[in-house]
């Protein structure tokens, strides 16, 4: 029972961290998504820098459109991080119980993180597709969640699922690197301070730095797949729909299109924007998660005690 509560605590902390970081960085996320999608969609680049997207929103008087799809993105982020952290914590605890080991090696950690990521991708893919389409729509022309999902077939709501499953290696690499660096850092602190009754936790700054470093490594290694996914899920303008049929948005066709039009460097177009957004987002998420995990654990234990005490009181009455 305590193991399940620990998994729920980890999942809740991660989900809250995702919600806060997503909201804070959402305008940057919208600029990044539109910048990446526009580069692949037109021969002539409308946005030469990610800042050009912001300038367009301000000059057109549609600054609030930078938040289009925020509700869907927050819902997707909350569910995704809850499922991921719950799955990661659960599979990690299950592995330790079955193997009898006291720690997890790098290979096992990668497999556990990948399994949790696969569960997350399948669960949240329709929301991920909808939020991408809403973000990459023209400013002021974004549709609601239900209309975005129902304007095509349900199979289209799972556009990019194959790449999403491939990209489970991204959080797998990220959290494995973060976990390994965290353990080494905490071991060093424990040797310095000695064995105390109070648990040793990362400082906000340390969690931020480790989160940024781990996400940078994961992003660089998986970016070609990330850009292909953005291209597949991006919303089409009316002109694009006439000129480019939906069937052309397959993984193989997208890869061929990038290779023919932009060469090998095209697979890394927008990398700086992706790193800027994802590193800040993941660093904030892990920092917030580390700082509220203890509080979340206390609240869950308190809630459990209240739920256990009430039936006893009712029986005695």
């Amino acid at each position: 029972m305590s193991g399940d509560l620990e998994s729920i605590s980890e999942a809740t902390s991660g989900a809250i961290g995702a919600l806060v970081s997503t909201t804070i960085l959402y305008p940057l996320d919208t600029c990044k998504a539109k910048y990446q999608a526009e580069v692949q969609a037109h021969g002539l680049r409308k946005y030469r820098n990610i800042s050009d997207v912001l300038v367009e929103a301000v000059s057109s008087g549609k600054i609030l459109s930078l938040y289009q799809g925020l509700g869907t993105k927050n819902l997707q982020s909350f569910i995704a991080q809850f499922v991921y952290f719950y799955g990661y914590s659960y599979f990690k605890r299950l592995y330790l119980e079955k193997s009898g080991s006291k720690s997890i090696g790098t290979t096992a950690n990668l497999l556990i993180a990948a399994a949790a990521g696969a569960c997350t991708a399948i669960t949240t893919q329709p929301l991920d597709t909808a939020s991408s389409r809403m973000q990459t729509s023209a400013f002021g022309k974004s549709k609601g969640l239900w209309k975005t999902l129902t304007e095509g077939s349900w199979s289209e709501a799972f556009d990019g699922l194959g790449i999403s499953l491939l990209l489970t290696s991204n959080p797998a690499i990220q959290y494995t690197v973060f976990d390994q660096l965290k353990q080494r850092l905490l071991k060093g602190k424990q040797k310095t301070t000695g064995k105390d009754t109070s648990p040793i936790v990362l400082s906000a700054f340390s969690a931020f730095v480790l989160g940024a470093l781990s996400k940078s490594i994961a992003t660089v290694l998986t970016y070609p797949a990330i850009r292909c996914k953005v291209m597949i899920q991006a919303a089409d303008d009316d002109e694009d729909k006439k000129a480019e049929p939906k069937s052309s948005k397959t993984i193989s066709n997208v890869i061929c299109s990038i290779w023919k039009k932009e060469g090998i460097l095209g697979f890394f177009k927008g990398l700086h924007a992706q790193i800027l957004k994802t590193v800040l987002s993941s660093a904030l998420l892990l920092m917030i998660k580390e700082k509220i995990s203890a509080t979340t654990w206390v609240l869950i234990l308190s809630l459990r005690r209240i739920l256990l005490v009430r039936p006893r009181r009712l029986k005695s009455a």
Side-chain angles (χ1 to χ4, degrees):
M1 183 66 181
S2 61
D4 289 334
L5 288 177
E6 185 178 351
S7 297
I8 293 173
S9 175
E10 284 286 307
T12 303
S13 300
I16 293 173
L19 193 66
V20 175
S21 63
T22 297
T23 302
I24 292 173
L25 298 173
Y26 194 75
L28 174 61
D29 190 30
T30 299
C31 291
K32 183 269 303 179
K34 288 182 71 67
Y35 174 69
Q36 287 176 317
E38 192 275 337
V39 169
Q40 60 83 23
H42 305 281
L44 297 175
R45 285 166 42 176
K46 181 180 179 182
Y47 306 122
R48 293 189 177 276
N49 299 291
I50 190 174
S51 59
D52 291 343
V53 184
L54 178 62
V55 171
E56 181 191 13
V58 174
S59 61
S60 62
K62 296 178 180 178
I63 188 71
L64 292 179
S65 293
L66 291 173
Y67 290 92
Q68 59 189 24
L70 175 59
T72 301
K73 192 71 172 182
N74 271 335
L75 179 62
Q76 185 259 336
S77 296
F78 187 88
I79 295 174
Q81 292 302 324
F82 186 91
V83 172
Y84 182 85
F85 278 108
Y86 182 86
Y88 181 79
S89 179
Y90 176 80
F91 290 142
K92 183 178 179 180
R93 178 169 53 84
L94 189 64
Y95 173 83
L96 292 174
E97 289 177 356
K98 297 295 183 180
S99 65
S101 303
K102 293 183 178 180
S103 61
I104 298 179
T106 303
T107 303
N109 215 338
L110 280 169
L111 292 175
I112 291 171
C119 294
T120 302
I122 295 171
T123 303
T124 62
Q125 188 61 37
L127 290 174
D128 185 35
T129 301
S131 64
S132 294
R133 289 177 184 170
M134 293 165 79
Q135 279 187 308
T136 54
S137 297
F139 285 134
K141 295 184 179 181
S142 177
K143 301 172 184 177
L145 172 59
W146 181 250
K147 193 170 183 180
T148 301
L149 288 175
T150 56
E151 65 180 359
S153 63
W154 272 104
S155 62
E156 291 177 5
F158 286 87
D159 278 349
L161 177 58
I163 295 183
S164 293
L165 291 174
L166 177 63
L167 286 173
T168 56
S169 59
N170 186 291
I173 295 170
Q174 176 196 353
Y175 292 117
T176 298
V177 173
F178 180 85
D179 210 36
Q180 297 299 317
L181 292 176
K182 175 185 172 181
Q183 289 180 19
R184 291 186 180 183
L185 189 60
L186 292 181
K187 282 181 181 178
K189 284 187 176 182
Q190 193 171 20
K191 289 180 180 179
T192 304
T193 58
K195 292 185 178 180
D196 298 325
T197 54
S198 58
I200 300 175
V201 296
L202 288 178
S203 65
F205 179 75
S206 297
F208 186 91
V209 172
L210 293 187
L213 179 60
S214 60
K215 191 60 179 181
S216 294
I217 294 172
T219 299
V220 172
L221 292 177
T222 60
Y223 186 74
I226 292 173
R227 183 161 188 250
C228 287
K229 181 184 173 185
V230 172
M231 293 171 65
I232 291 173
Q233 292 183 325
D236 291 321
D237 294 332
D238 292 335
E239 295 181 0
D240 292 334
K241 289 180 180 178
K242 295 177 182 178
E244 185 179 10
K246 182 68 180 178
S247 59
S248 67
K249 283 195 170 184
T250 61
I251 297 176
S252 59
N253 285 341
V254 164
I255 292 174
C256 289
S257 177
I258 295 175
W259 179 263
K260 289 179 180 178
K261 295 179 181 179
E262 303 169 350
I264 192 169
L265 293 179
F267 290 99
F268 293 92
K269 266 189 180 177
L271 176 61
H272 65 288
Q274 183 72 30
I275 289 179
L276 178 63
K277 184 266 170 180
T278 54
V279 167
L280 288 175
S281 177
S282 297
L284 281 172
L285 187 157
L286 292 171
M287 180 183 71
I288 295 167
K289 175 182 173 292
E290 287 294 323
K291 300 309 292 184
I292 68 172
S293 58
T295 304
T296 305
W297 175 246
V298 171
L299 290 175
I300 289 177
L301 285 179
S302 300
L303 181 60
R304 177 172 177 264
R305 288 171 185 169
I306 292 172
L307 293 175
L308 290 175
V309 169
R310 275 187 176 180
R312 293 175 183 174
R313 289 181 177 177
L314 290 174
K315 286 181 181 180
S316 61

